[in-house]
Amino acid sequence: MKAMPMYQPSWRREALDNSGGQILDLETAVKDGILRGGGGFGGGGNAGVITGGGVGEKVDLKRMIEELDLCDDVPTVFICPISLEPMRDPVTLCTGQTYERPNILRWFSMGHNTCPTTMQELWDDEVTPNRTLHHLIHTWFSQKYLQMKKRSEDVQGRVLEILDSLKRVKGQARVQALRELKRVVSAHASAKKAVVDNGGFGLVSSLLGPFTSHAVGSEVVAILVNLTLDADTKVNLMQPAKVSLVIDMLNEGTIETKVNCTRLIEMLMEGNDFQSEMVSSMSLLVGLLRLIRDRRHPNGVIAGLSLLKTICSHKQVRNLVVSVGSVSQLVELLPSLNSDCLESALHILDVLSTLPEGITALKDCPQTIPNAVKLLMKVSEVCTQYALSILWAVCKLAPEECASVAVENGLAARLLLVIQSGCSPTLKQRAAELLKLCSLNYTTTIFISKCKLTRTIQ
């Protein structure tokens, strides 16, 4: 059977040479709009050679694709229609469609005899290497890779300049240098590496101390939270004078500084050398609760709850957390929190309910029962679990006083929903136990009415 002629799009027909239907060069591709928006093209025999410092380096296409994070910038003609990834070994079918070789061969191995894009039946199952497209792809990625390397070198040089200036300047000039370093480190991964490789950790952290101004301290903290702290740096930052400064800024700084101080303390708590005495500070906990209560700044609420949750994981500090009034403040916040913050806040209250002082504080807070009951079967199973645990602890502590209040706030009906839901068996069992505890103060008829049911409770 004679092979049918291969369909050629208009741009392909105008750019054919004698090599069997290939694009002539990069200039033609850009002119015809094949690579619209790609930018930075140039033909020539040196495509794929990255030059720097006068030395040419041949870079593998796979490596360039992996190291470049280009997302939607890659021209669509470079994308394999099957994998939606850039092609490294493009081959063309008789229909004129091009695919990555391993992808189209896998398609054939599955028994298909059609073009995946057009679904045309193939009259020729040969695949032809598309060398010109491969050249285009390699050249385009080489240009992008060169630009990335150039930016990286420029950034690293700038980091070295700033670190050098920090050894000499003081006052407002130091603040400006730190601000510039913060900007560079926040924007470029290579800047972070340059700080680490050139002793920046020690230099920057040395600027924190008992006589450091908040203007300098806030910029230092903003830099540190953008880096991955090593063990030695964490030990250095846990010096009492440095921790005291960070806590002061948490109480008195801007919202950005407060959030950064919160994040830094949490980062320090992740180290093996962390001592709970570092966070056994009334000033820290008061500042943290003030940040959590400030509803104008959701990012502050999230950061504050995250750190308080981490602090409560240390048993030695929990009594202090209760003593600063955190229980009642968190309970009052529950109705205004989003789902993520709710889980953190309920987790903290659940942990504190294991202390005699904590459960007493929960019982004495008039909003504990109403707010906890409303959260049953409303947000998530995790929130239901924590709310149920808190209600169980409170009602168990004072059943005659608290159980009736809970029932009046609709607890019985909510518990029946939990029992009938798809929640875990453990959660259902706890709900049944709490329902039984609450029923002890009522006759069967009255309790059924409280459940808003017309049938007998089995």
Side-chain angles (χ1 to χ4, degrees):
M1 177 178 177
K2 185 178 180 180
M4 294 177 64
M6 182 172 64
Y7 168 73
Q8 303 289 352
S10 60
W11 60 266
R12 184 180 292 269
R13 291 197 303 271
E14 295 169 3
L16 297 181
D17 61 9
N18 295 325
S19 61
Q22 300 296 328
I23 303 171
L24 281 174
D25 52 24
L26 289 167
E27 183 180 354
T28 304
V30 175
K31 178 181 176 182
D32 286 351
I34 307 306
L35 309 178
R36 188 178 296 113
F41 295 94
N46 291 327
V49 178
I50 309 302
T51 58
V55 180
E57 176 193 355
K58 182 72 175 178
V59 182
D60 179 64
L61 178 58
K62 178 181 178 181
R63 174 181 160 190
M64 291 190 290
I65 292 174
E66 290 174 349
E67 291 189 21
L68 287 166
D69 184 18
L70 296 171
C71 300
D72 298 331
D73 292 340
V74 180
T76 55
V77 73
F78 295 170
I79 303 297
C80 174
I82 296 175
S83 66
L84 301 182
E85 297 289 338
M87 291 182 283
R88 302 198 301 269
D89 186 10
V91 293
T92 302
L93 301 184
C94 60
T95 59
Q97 302 296 324
T98 301
Y99 302 92
E100 176 72 352
R101 182 188 294 272
N103 296 335
I104 191 61
L105 293 182
R106 189 178 304 114
W107 171 262
F108 290 157
S109 70
M110 295 168 64
H112 300 292
N113 188 36
T114 55
C115 173
T117 301
T118 65
M119 295 312 294
Q120 286 179 271
E121 186 172 344
L122 301 177
W123 56 90
D124 185 350
D125 60 4
E126 291 293 322
V127 295
T128 304
N130 195 328
R131 295 185 178 87
T132 300
L133 182 57
H134 181 273
H135 173 73
L136 291 173
I137 294 171
H138 205 297
T139 301
W140 189 87
F141 274 99
S142 296
Q143 292 286 340
K144 293 293 183 179
Y145 192 79
L146 178 61
Q147 293 168 12
M148 181 192 75
K149 288 294 185 183
K150 180 71 166 57
R151 285 195 301 269
S152 177
E153 291 170 3
D154 292 345
V155 165
Q156 291 175 24
R158 182 61 183 139
V159 168
L160 291 175
E161 291 176 4
I162 298 171
L163 291 177
D164 184 60
S165 70
L166 284 173
K167 299 173 183 176
R168 297 178 280 102
V169 299
K170 298 184 182 299
Q172 189 59 31
R174 174 175 287 177
V175 174
Q176 290 299 331
L178 287 167
R179 195 166 290 159
E180 173 66 7
L181 183 59
K182 175 184 70 175
R183 184 190 67 77
V184 176
V185 165
S186 301
H188 303 282
S190 58
K192 299 176 185 179
K193 186 176 185 301
V195 170
V196 174
D197 292 345
N198 294 280
F201 269 147
L203 176 60
V204 172
S205 60
S206 70
L207 300 178
L208 289 178
F211 305 109
T212 302
S213 68
H214 284 196
V216 169
S218 62
E219 299 299 337
V220 169
V221 171
I223 293 168
L224 291 173
V225 296
N226 278 290
L227 303 173
T228 301
L229 306 182
D230 59 33
D232 291 339
T233 302
K234 288 182 179 180
V235 171
N236 179 278
L237 291 171
M238 283 189 279
Q239 296 176 33
K242 297 181 187 292
V243 173
S244 179
L245 174 65
V246 173
I247 292 174
D248 286 345
M249 291 190 293
L250 171 60
N251 278 279
E252 301 172 12
T254 63
I255 183 62
E256 180 184 0
T257 297
K258 291 178 179 180
V259 171
N260 285 335
C261 288
T262 301
R263 290 173 57 198
L264 179 61
I265 294 172
E266 188 163 9
M267 289 168 69
L268 296 180
M269 293 184 71
E270 295 170 356
N272 295 328
D273 297 311
F274 168 75
Q275 300 292 328
S276 59
E277 290 78 10
M278 191 188 93
V279 292
S280 299
S281 163
M282 293 282 286
S283 180
L284 168 61
L285 296 173
V286 169
L288 205 51
L289 288 170
R290 189 181 298 122
L291 179 63
I292 292 170
R293 291 200 313 270
D294 190 349
R295 303 176 193 176
R296 297 171 301 169
H297 304 289
N299 58 331
V301 177
I302 294 170
L305 285 170
S306 179
L307 176 55
L308 188 57
K309 181 179 176 180
T310 303
I311 290 173
C312 287
S313 67
H314 295 267
K315 294 181 180 179
Q316 305 92 318
V317 193
R318 291 175 187 171
N319 276 317
L320 186 60
V321 175
V322 174
S323 70
V324 297
S326 59
V327 170
S328 59
Q329 294 182 53
L330 289 175
V331 167
E332 290 169 5
L333 275 176
L334 292 178
S336 64
L337 298 176
N338 62 34
S339 58
D340 292 334
C341 290
L342 260 177
E343 288 191 10
S344 295
L346 286 169
H347 174 88
I348 295 167
L349 291 172
D350 187 39
V351 168
L352 296 180
S353 72
T354 60
L355 302 173
E357 299 85 354
I359 191 59
T360 300
L362 281 165
K363 181 184 78 69
D364 293 341
C365 178
Q367 295 303 312
T368 296
I369 293 175
N371 287 349
V373 169
K374 291 175 184 176
L375 292 174
L376 292 176
M377 297 299 295
K378 186 175 182 182
V379 180
S380 67
E381 183 169 337
V382 173
C383 285
T384 295
Q385 175 186 336
Y386 288 138
L388 190 55
S389 178
I390 292 167
L391 287 166
W392 171 260
V394 170
C395 292
K396 191 81 181 293
L397 178 68
E400 293 186 2
E401 176 186 351
C402 297
S404 58
V405 174
V407 171
E408 293 301 323
N409 278 275
L411 176 62
R414 295 269 184 172
L415 291 176
L416 286 171
L417 285 176
V418 175
I419 294 170
Q420 296 168 3
S421 72
C423 292
S424 68
T426 303
L427 203 57
K428 292 182 179 182
Q429 180 63 32
R430 177 51 59 90
E433 291 170 356
L434 183 54
L435 188 65
K436 182 177 179 180
L437 179 65
C438 292
S439 68
L440 297 179
N441 294 327
Y442 297 90
T443 64
T444 302
T445 304
I446 294 176
F447 191 66
I448 290 175
S449 69
K450 296 295 182 182
C451 295
K452 299 181 180 177
L453 298 175
T454 56
R455 61 180 177 81
T456 304
I457 300 178
Q458 299 298 323

